[in-house]
Amino acid sequence: KYKVVFSDGVYMSKKEMILQRKLKKEIEKNTKDQDVSFSSNKKIHFFEFDSSLKYMVETSGDCIDINNVMEMDITKAYYQMAFNLGYISKKFFEMTLTLPKVIRLRLLGSIATKRVVETYKDGKVVEMKVVEDLRMRDIWFHICYNVGKVMKECSEAIQDFFIFYWVDGIYFQMHPHFNTQNDPTKQIIQKIFQKNNLKFTINQLDKISLQNLNNEIMLKCWKDGRVKSNFSVPHKKVKKYIFNPCSEKVYA
């Protein structure tokens, strides 16, 4: 009789599994006297698009460019937020910054993962169960919620200059009468990030191109004549996306 644990086909070294256990112990130590329950009434805003992008739905096949664009990203957003909320110590936070990016991206999210555990006897499955830590999942949702809350505040504060945000990066048009350094829209976002004790990076882009591909809208962010990143937006979900942590589905 023996048990097998599956991890969605992703190979993890022994070192990474030890790191995951250390992270959970770190959070447990820092939250042992806290109520960390996450209300199902709170919706996590992972990304949102300005409603004006719906224009592309009516111009099938057309491609337009948005010029004079800037991108601002929160640096290692979820780790900064976990530290700000007191879930991880400064020492642990600084340690995570030295990790390879692929491990760092998986590590914090691991506190919310579900494990399928199968128990075998004589070569046959005699028991299968899903193992999850609901308290840790609530902490993960709380981190995501607070990052989304900051991005939502930024999008509402800059009004007509807002284009879209995606997780921890926001894209907007600069004011035509100001240079990069003195742009008031950039300064508004900068103040919101600083108010929330979040470090960030700033990138001026060549443009954002939008193309209607009949069943989706493709956004491409251009930097130095090359595509830096791209996003696919379904027609019916252009305005905004809301993540419901209870059902784990995305609604428009």
Side-chain angles (χ1 to χ4, degrees), residues 183-198:
D183 181 71
T185 310
K186 184 204 76 170
Q187 291 178 356
I188 289 171
I189 296 172
Q190 184 172 315
K191 285 181 180 178
I192 293 173
F193 285 168
Q194 290 173 338
K195 177 185 71 174
N196 288 278
N197 193 31
L198 297 168

Side-chain angles (χ1 to χ4, degrees), residues 18-64:
I18 291 172
L19 271 174
Q20 290 184 1
R21 287 197 290 270
K22 284 183 176 179
L23 171 61
K24 289 182 180 180
K25 286 182 179 180
E26 167 84 2
I27 294 175
E28 286 169 355
K29 178 184 71 175
N30 293 328
T31 62
K32 61 182 179 180
D33 299 322
Q34 295 181 32
D35 176 12
V36 296
S37 57
F38 185 81
S39 172
S40 59
N41 294 323
K42 292 182 178 179
K43 292 181 171 60
I44 301 173
H45 296 263
F46 281 111
F47 35 91
E48 182 169 351
F49 297 83
D50 184 70
S51 58
S52 66
L53 300 184
K54 287 183 178 180
Y55 164 79
M56 294 303 299
V57 177
E58 302 168 0
T59 55
S60 180
D62 284 359
C63 181
I64 62 170

Side-chain angles (χ1 to χ4, degrees), residues 106-118:
R106 280 201 299 253
L107 179 60
L108 192 55
S110 72
I111 67 174
T113 55
K114 298 179 181 180
R115 294 180 297 145
V116 178
V117 180
E118 294 182 353

Side-chain angles (χ1 to χ4, degrees), residues 80-200:
Q80 280 202 74
M81 188 58 71
F83 170 63
N84 290 345
L85 293 171
Y87 292 145
I88 59 176
S89 65
K90 183 177 182 181
K91 181 179 178 181
F92 196 93
F93 169 64
E94 291 176 346
M95 181 277 293
T96 64
L97 304 185
T98 67
L99 296 173
K101 185 175 181 179
V102 65
I103 293 178
R104 189 175 65 247
L105 291 174
R106 280 201 299 253
L107 179 60
L108 192 55
S110 72
I111 67 174
T113 55
K114 298 179 181 180
R115 294 180 297 145
V116 178
V117 180
E118 294 182 353
T119 303
Y120 285 80
K121 186 176 182 180
D122 299 328
K124 295 183 179 180
V125 178
V126 295
E127 183 185 12
M128 180 186 293
K129 61 181 178 180
V130 176
V131 179
E132 60 180 326
D133 188 327
L134 296 178
R135 193 169 189 272
M136 284 292 172
R137 286 175 71 81
D138 276 357
I139 288 172
W140 170 246
F141 290 140
H142 192 216
I143 293 168
C144 295
Y145 172 79
N146 279 277
V147 172
K149 186 179 177 182
V150 171
M151 302 307 289
K152 181 73 173 173
E153 181 182 354
C154 290
S155 70
E156 292 176 347
I158 62 176
Q159 300 180 17
D160 291 344
F161 293 95
F162 172 64
I163 302 174
F164 75 98
Y165 70 76
W166 188 279
V167 186
D168 56 6
I170 186 166
Y171 300 79
F172 58 94
Q173 275 193 296
M174 295 166 54
H175 195 288
H177 298 143
F178 292 86
N179 59 29
T180 304
Q181 187 161 354
N182 298 320
D183 181 71
T185 310
K186 184 204 76 170
Q187 291 178 356
I188 289 171
I189 296 172
Q190 184 172 315
K191 285 181 180 178
I192 293 173
F193 285 168
Q194 290 173 338
K195 177 185 71 174
N196 288 278
N197 193 31
L198 297 168
K199 294 182 180 179
F200 55 91

